[in-house]
Structure formats: C-alpha cells, structure tokens
Amino acid sequence: MKKILGTTLTLLGLAVFGQAKEDSIQFAKISTEILNKGKAYNELRELTKNIGHRLSGSASYEKAVTWAEQKLRDAGADKVWLQEVMVPVWVRGKESLQIKTSNGKWKSLKMLSLGNSEGTGGKDISGEIIMVRSMEEYDKLPPEQVKDKIVFFNYPFSQTYIETFRGYGDAAKYRSTAASLTAKKGGKFAIIRSLSSAFDDVPHTGSMRYQDDKKIPAVAVGSTTADELAELLKSQKITAKLNSNCGMKGEKLSHSVIGEITGKKDKSVIVVGGHLDSWDVGEGAHDDGSGIVQSIEVLRTFKNLGIQNNHTIRVVCFANEENGVKGGVMYGKTVKENNEKHLFAIETDAGGFTPRGISLDMDNEKRKQIQSWAALFLPYGIYDFKNTYSGTDLYPLHDLGIPTAELVPDSQRYFDIHHTEEDTFEKVNRRELLLGASTLTQIIYMIDKNW
C-alpha cells in the first residue's frame, strides 16, 4: 500500500512539475517576444506626441478613439467596436491666481483648477486667506471665521508610507471635498496643497465633486508655493484673487474602444484594459497611456505567439475614468444586461513603471490559486500579490461578483508627476513599460488556461 501511494504521489509530483515547466517556458516566450518585438513604447509615443492630453469630451479624445480602434485592428483583434457612452464635458479655459500682502503688489502663483470645478465666470473673486492644516482643524472653525474668506487646505502628502498610493488616498479627501466644505461655511473659494510626493512647484489637478448646489471654485498649488504661502501667513494677512473660466458644459456622446480575440473553447471573457482619457495637462503618458498600450500589447502577443486562447480575451479602452467613470459604468451595465460571463478582469492604471506585483480583488480561493503561481512570476521581478484592490473602471464588474485585479508597478515616482504637465512620454522607460505588458500577458495566459 505504501509503495502504491508513494508511486502515485511521485507521478502527481512529476505531473505538477511538468505543468510548471511548460508554463515557465511559455512565460519566457512571452517575455522574449515583448521585450524584443513589443510595439507598446512606439505606440505610446504616437498617442502622446501626435494626440497629447485627451480629456473626455474634447476633440483630442475623439482622435484617440480613432487611434485606438486602428491599433486594436493592427494588433490582430478578431472584432473591434465602439461602445457608446455619455460623458461630462468640462473645460478649463484661462485661469490665474494672485496674492498680495497689505503693503505689497499682486504676485502670480502657479496653479491649476481642480477637475469639474466651477470657475469665476471670468470675473475676479478676492478675499483674505485663512489656512488649516487638517480637516479636523477646519471642522473646529466657526462659520463666521470662514465667511467671505479663501480657505487654504495645507495638508501634505505623507512621506511615511512606502506604498505611495496610501499617501495619495490619505490626502485625496482634501481635493474631493475642499470646495463643498468651504462653501458650507460661506467661503469664497478653496486652495489645496497638491497631492504630490515631490518637493517642487508643479501643481496637480484631479477630480473633485460638489456635495450640494452651492458650487464655488477649487484650485491646487504646488508644494513649494504651499510652503511659501504658509510661511507668509505666519506673520501677515494675505489676499488672494482668482479669475477662471472653467466649468461644466453639459454632456456629449463619446465612446470606449473594445477589441477581442475569440476563445476557442467558449465565449467566457477575460478583460484587460486601461482608460483612454487623461487630464488636460501634460500628455497622459503614465496616466493612462501606458495602460492602454500595454493592454493592446497583450492581444498582439497572443496573436504573434499563436497562443490558442480558450476564452475570449478582450481589451477595453475605457472612456472618462478621470472625471466620471462613465465608461466603466456603461461597460458593467452592458455585461449585466447581456448576462455575459466574465471570468476575470485586470486594469493597468498605476503608471508604466517597473511591475512589482498584481493586486487581487476576489474571493480567497481564487486569490490563493493565483498566489500559488508566484514562483512562475518571480524570475520577472513580480513578487507582490498581497494587495486587494482593483482599477476604478472595474468596480462595476467587481460589484457583479467578477474577480478583478490591477497591475502593481513601482509607485515611488508616480505621484511626482500624476495629473500634471510633467506626465509626458519622456518620463516612461521602454523596458519598464514592456515588462508591465509582459506581466499582464503572463497572468492572462494563466487565467485562460486554468479557469
């Protein structure tokens, strides 16, 4: 009996080893193909330099739709289509922020209006600045101290967290709520310290939201300006003057772009994607041009290597992630209405830096199965499978019970340039970008084979 059992275990061990060896060989083929022949870097150059930033509702976004549709066809998609999405139209226009002391002259500050903020209608709005360093400090202020003032929320991006997305999440509430909090106590407009891990004078934009009908402007300044303003406020009164033309201009019909290669076994879908839109400053290279070209590279690699996928592999270039998530919501709605079976979805929306892991937002059984593949990924520098979040565009799918995930690149430089004029093609390294595409292809290969 012992001999028979031992023989059985030995055979099982050989089978497992043989399987792992086969997967390891395929991982190497994927990596070699992408690092040597991948087109993602050149395609990112096209997207960023020929089209540039591409806020939803803009003419440049519509050019990006046409571009992505063609790139998916070129990559070998069996089917490419546009999914209709109604998106908000927000326009920045001209804007300026100035300050002066009681005895001084007006001085212009570098600034950016926050996305979705209302402006001043082209008129000057001015008032005395009061500064708070935290939400708790602001909550203690009586309304009479805020009325007709400009509130400066000087909350710094925490340098303590090694995972910089934790620092971003910690500070993000100031960007999203500063305007509404200021309005509730009668303030004229809000200034926030940018959500930036860098010590420079580059302002960062990003989405904010109004909690009621009283809509006042909100702007961001860079870290250096924030520090200088804080120092001035220690000894004197400062007046600020804002003039901006930004605001919402209704909605318009736009599109997400979708392409797929049909499964040989069944019609179950595996999604890989990013968001095609970007903010209206910089070139949207890391956020999220990198994710778009990496996702297209997955499809291309399956085709070029002749991998016979069991399930349909679908690339989704989501519309309007930055200031509405309308593309992700519409995709999830369509999946539900069509009762379309999805096995897995992964988004890449954390920059094109060196990949370090995959975050797994799913039940423990499936998470443990993916974690059991860690040894296959380790030779490629992928070791981190502990996080449990996924991309913003995938939340509607996650709410349907679909396992979702996100590529986890090294994030140490990401929030230096996130949502700024600095997010350009030159900030992306070719090998790092392609390594991310390789990791995405490898995980999708394993999901397609084993689920």
Side-chain angles (χ1 to χ4, degrees):
M1 181 66 179
K2 288 182 179 179
K3 185 176 182 181
I4 294 173
L5 181 59
T7 302
T8 301
L9 290 173
T10 300
L11 290 172
L12 284 171
L14 287 172
V16 171
F17 174 76
Q19 188 65 61
K21 183 177 180 180
E22 178 184 322
D23 292 335
S24 179
I25 290 171
Q26 189 64 272
F27 270 41
K29 288 180 179 178
I30 289 168
S31 175
T32 299
E33 169 71 19
I34 292 176
L35 288 176
N36 286 282
K37 299 179 182 178
K39 295 183 179 181
Y41 189 66
N42 289 336
E43 290 183 346
L44 182 62
R45 181 189 287 112
E46 290 179 19
L47 179 62
T48 55
K49 296 304 181 185
N50 295 347
I51 298 176
H53 56 69
R54 40 201 185 275
L55 188 62
S56 293
S58 67
S60 56
Y61 180 79
E62 297 309 316
K63 291 179 182 178
V65 167
T66 301
W67 175 90
E69 184 179 12
Q70 186 59 51
K71 290 302 174 184
L72 283 164
R73 295 188 193 282
D74 293 345
D78 301 329
K79 181 182 178 183
V80 179
W81 70 99
L82 305 182
Q83 184 171 74
E84 292 188 349
V85 184
M86 292 300 295
V87 301
V89 180
W90 181 77
V91 177
R92 181 177 300 278
K94 292 182 179 180
E95 55 187 10
S96 66
L97 177 65
Q98 296 177 294
I99 62 167
K100 73 169 183 176
T101 62
S102 55
N103 298 319
K105 296 181 180 180
W106 288 107
K107 174 186 176 182
S108 294
L109 302 183
K110 290 187 67 175
M111 53 76 73
L112 285 174
S113 293
L114 296 181
N116 292 352
S117 173
E118 291 299 320
T120 69
K123 300 177 181 179
D124 290 342
I125 293 181
S126 60
E128 180 187 343
I129 299 176
I130 59 172
M131 182 180 74
V132 294
R133 295 187 179 276
S134 69
M135 205 73 78
E136 293 73 22
E137 184 179 338
Y138 179 76
D139 289 342
K140 293 176 182 178
L141 292 178
E144 56 267 25
Q145 288 188 26
V146 178
K147 184 174 174 57
D148 294 329
K149 301 292 197 306
I150 286 83
V151 182
F152 170 37
F153 291 86
N154 188 25
Y155 185 84
F157 188 107
S158 176
Q159 301 294 328
T160 301
Y161 300 113
I162 302 304
E163 294 182 346
T164 60
F165 275 87
R166 294 181 65 188
Y168 177 72
D170 174 61
K173 59 182 177 287
Y174 291 89
R175 189 184 72 200
S176 62
T177 65
S180 288
L181 290 174
T182 300
K184 284 180 180 179
K185 294 186 179 183
K188 290 185 173 180
F189 65 89
I191 302 171
I192 70 160
R193 185 188 186 103
S194 286
L195 277 59
S196 173
S197 53
F199 292 84
D200 57 24
D201 202 30
V202 178
H204 295 230
T205 190
S207 188
M208 53 82 71
R209 62 178 181 268
Y210 291 108
Q211 297 172 351
D212 51 42
D213 293 334
K214 192 172 182 181
K215 299 179 179 180
I216 64 171
V219 305
V221 296
S223 300
T224 301
T225 289
D227 288 339
E228 292 174 351
L229 190 54
E231 189 64 29
L232 286 171
L233 286 166
K234 288 179 180 179
S235 59
Q236 54 197 304
K237 290 185 177 181
I238 304 293
T239 300
K241 179 170 64 177
L242 176 67
N243 190 304
S244 64
N245 290 279
C246 62
M248 301 300 297
K249 307 296 181 184
E251 292 185 323
K252 69 174 292 187
L253 179 65
S254 190
H255 300 87
S256 295
V257 187
I258 304 173
E260 66 184 29
I261 46 177
T262 307
K264 304 300 184 290
K265 177 182 175 182
D266 59 39
K267 295 182 180 179
S268 299
V269 177
I270 298 170
V271 165
V272 57
H275 63 85
L276 187 57
D277 62 311
S278 76
W279 280 110
D280 62 325
V281 291
E283 295 172 352
H286 277 290
D287 186 21
D288 187 29
S290 292
I292 291 296
V293 298
Q294 286 174 329
S295 299
I296 295 172
E297 195 73 63
V298 172
L299 191 151
R300 179 185 294 111
T301 303
F302 265 76
K303 280 289 189 176
N304 287 353
L305 291 180
I307 301 173
Q308 299 296 302
N309 48 298
N310 294 316
H311 314 288
T312 293
I313 296 173
R314 180 177 294 170
V315 174
V316 183
C317 304
F318 293 98
N320 185 234
E321 188 271 351
E322 292 293 7
N323 69 327
V325 199
K326 295 297 181 68
V329 170
M330 178 57 72
Y331 185 80
K333 179 182 177 182
T334 302
V335 169
K336 182 178 181 180
E337 289 176 348
N338 294 340
N339 196 25
E340 190 175 41
K341 184 178 180 181
H342 278 52
L343 297 177
F344 176 81
I346 186 168
E347 186 166 17
T348 165
D349 182 22
F353 298 104
T354 303
R356 300 297 190 196
I358 301 169
S359 180
L360 307 170
D361 197 2
M362 58 194 66
D363 64 50
N364 284 332
E365 183 179 348
K366 285 186 167 53
R367 183 180 297 111
K368 288 178 179 178
Q369 182 183 13
I370 293 175
Q371 290 170 340
S372 74
W373 303 333
L376 289 166
F377 286 95
L378 191 57
Y380 303 91
I382 309 303
Y383 60 85
D384 185 358
F385 295 89
K386 69 179 184 300
N387 290 304
T388 57
Y389 58 83
S390 56
T392 301
D393 288 305
L394 302 185
Y395 288 159
L397 296 181
H398 182 264
D399 289 345
L400 295 175
I402 297 165
T404 55
E406 183 161 17
L407 183 69
V408 180
D410 185 301
S411 69
Q412 301 310 315
R413 293 167 286 165
Y414 186 56
F415 292 107
D416 288 4
I417 62 175
H418 182 247
H419 295 175
T420 74
E421 62 187 14
E422 299 292 313
D423 185 7
T424 61
F425 173 75
E426 288 76 15
K427 300 295 192 304
V428 181
N429 175 274
R430 179 185 181 276
R431 282 187 62 85
E432 291 179 342
L433 180 73
L434 294 178
L435 284 167
S438 177
T439 301
L440 289 166
T441 309
Q442 290 164 341
I443 186 63
I444 289 173
Y445 161 78
M446 291 298 289
I447 296 294
D448 179 66
K449 183 177 179 180
N450 293 284
W451 285 18

